[in-house]
Amino acid sequence: MTPSDTEVRLRRDLADAFRICHALGWSESVGNHFSAAVSADGQDFLLNAKWQHFATIAPGDLLRLDSRSEAVPDGPDAPDASAWCVHGTLHRRLPDARVVLHAHSPYATALACLANPKLVPIDNNTARFYGRTAYDLSFGGIADATEEGERLADALGDKSVLVMGNHGITIVEETVADAFEDLYFFEKAARTLVLARSTGEPLAVLSDAVAQNTADGWRAYRGMAEKHFAYLRSTLPPL
């Protein structure tokens, strides 16, 4: 597959991810951001333009940016400062993070707003993320300063999920489909945990061994992501 073919595919996948996210009720007015590395070294990446509604994003609308640029992109369609701070820094610092999805989905955000936002393993979906989740509890407002992006990159480290305290969720993965599948299942996992906690009854927490075994068992189901994403894509109305 030539680089141009790769970019065409990534543009279509990422654009559809925005639209699916909106269809599921996870868009945030005209804010929030998804990105995907398009160069082999992970430094050039695609990102949505400033304040374009998720439901309207087409492949050609996505900006191609260089994470190594010292100047914040400017112009009417440039990404907002928060998008550049988070996604520019993550792609520059973590080139293996090929796809970065950041959302304020309801239950993930509710979980992030707890004093202890740890995703406790109590079922298959919560255990899916056992050992894969990092936490940043240093919320300081809108993440639009350079040091914010650096802190988030440090907090994420080698994990694929970052719970951003008092904020939301960020997922990093190799493909758009895999990242979206984690976003989807994290929201389901957070919903289960929030509902279980709401009963006031003690949680039946899985042992570390069972939680790890469950997380490992999900690897055999990785192909679900492509099938699920293809179905969700098929439900989208034409632009």
Side-chain angles (χ1 to χ4, degrees), residues 10 20 41 54 56 61 85 93 107 112 132 137 139 141-142 152 188 190 208 210 220 224:
L10 272 175
I20 293 167
D41 63 5
F54 276 21
T56 71
D61 294 325
C85 161
R93 289 276 310 275
Y107 285 96
R132 299 174 51 204
L137 305 182
F139 178 78
I142 301 294
L152 294 174
K188 288 180 69 68
D208 290 345
V210 171
M224 288 173 57

Side-chain angles (χ1 to χ4, degrees), residues 25-237:
W26 302 343
S27 55
E28 188 88 346
S29 178
V30 291
N32 278 11
H33 329 101
F34 294 171
S35 63
V38 72
S39 60
D41 63 5
Q43 300 302 307
D44 291 356
F45 66 99
L46 303 174
L47 182 69
N48 47 314
K50 182 178 181 178
W51 301 342
Q52 181 177 358
H53 197 281
F54 276 21
T56 71
I57 295 176
D61 294 325
L62 298 171
L63 306 174
R64 179 166 177 158
L65 304 170
D66 184 347
S67 66
R68 295 159 295 193
S69 176
E70 295 183 3
V72 177
D74 196 10
D77 292 329
D80 63 39
S82 178
W84 178 251
C85 161
V86 175
H87 294 262
T89 305
L90 289 179
H91 285 291
R92 175 174 53 82
R93 289 276 310 275
L94 306 171
D96 290 337
R98 302 299 298 183
V99 178
V100 181
L101 305 185
H102 169 63
H104 300 166
S105 48
Y107 285 96
T109 303
L111 179 67
C113 291
L114 299 179
N116 178 6
K118 184 177 181 181
L119 187 68
V120 180
I122 57 173
D123 74 333
N124 279 331
N125 292 341
T126 49
R128 174 189 178 100
F129 300 98
Y130 184 81
R132 299 174 51 204
T133 307
Y135 299 85
D136 171 61
L137 305 182
S138 300
F139 178 78
I142 301 294
D144 56 5
T146 301
E147 55 268 24
E148 290 280 330
E150 296 289 347
R151 192 192 74 240
L152 294 174
D154 288 339
L156 182 61
D158 62 353
K159 306 300 184 185
S160 58
V161 178
L162 179 63
V163 175
M164 304 163 73
N166 304 101
H167 189 165
I169 184 75
T170 293
I171 306 287
V172 301
E173 260 294 354
E174 295 179 9
T175 71
V176 173
D178 285 329
F180 200 90
E181 192 78 340
D182 270 356
L183 184 63
Y184 176 88
F185 272 107
F186 194 94
E187 180 66 4
K188 288 180 69 68
R191 181 177 65 183
T192 295
L193 184 56
V194 168
L195 290 174
R197 287 196 183 282
S198 73
T199 68
E201 294 294 319
L203 299 177
V205 180
L206 304 177
S207 68
D208 290 345
V210 171
Q212 187 63 64
N213 184 57
T214 306
D216 293 342
W218 272 106
R219 295 174 186 168
Y221 294 86
R222 191 176 180 90
M224 288 173 57
E226 291 288 345
K227 294 289 188 181
H228 187 208
F229 193 75
Y231 166 73
L232 293 173
R233 165 182 276 158
S234 73
T235 67
L236 293 173

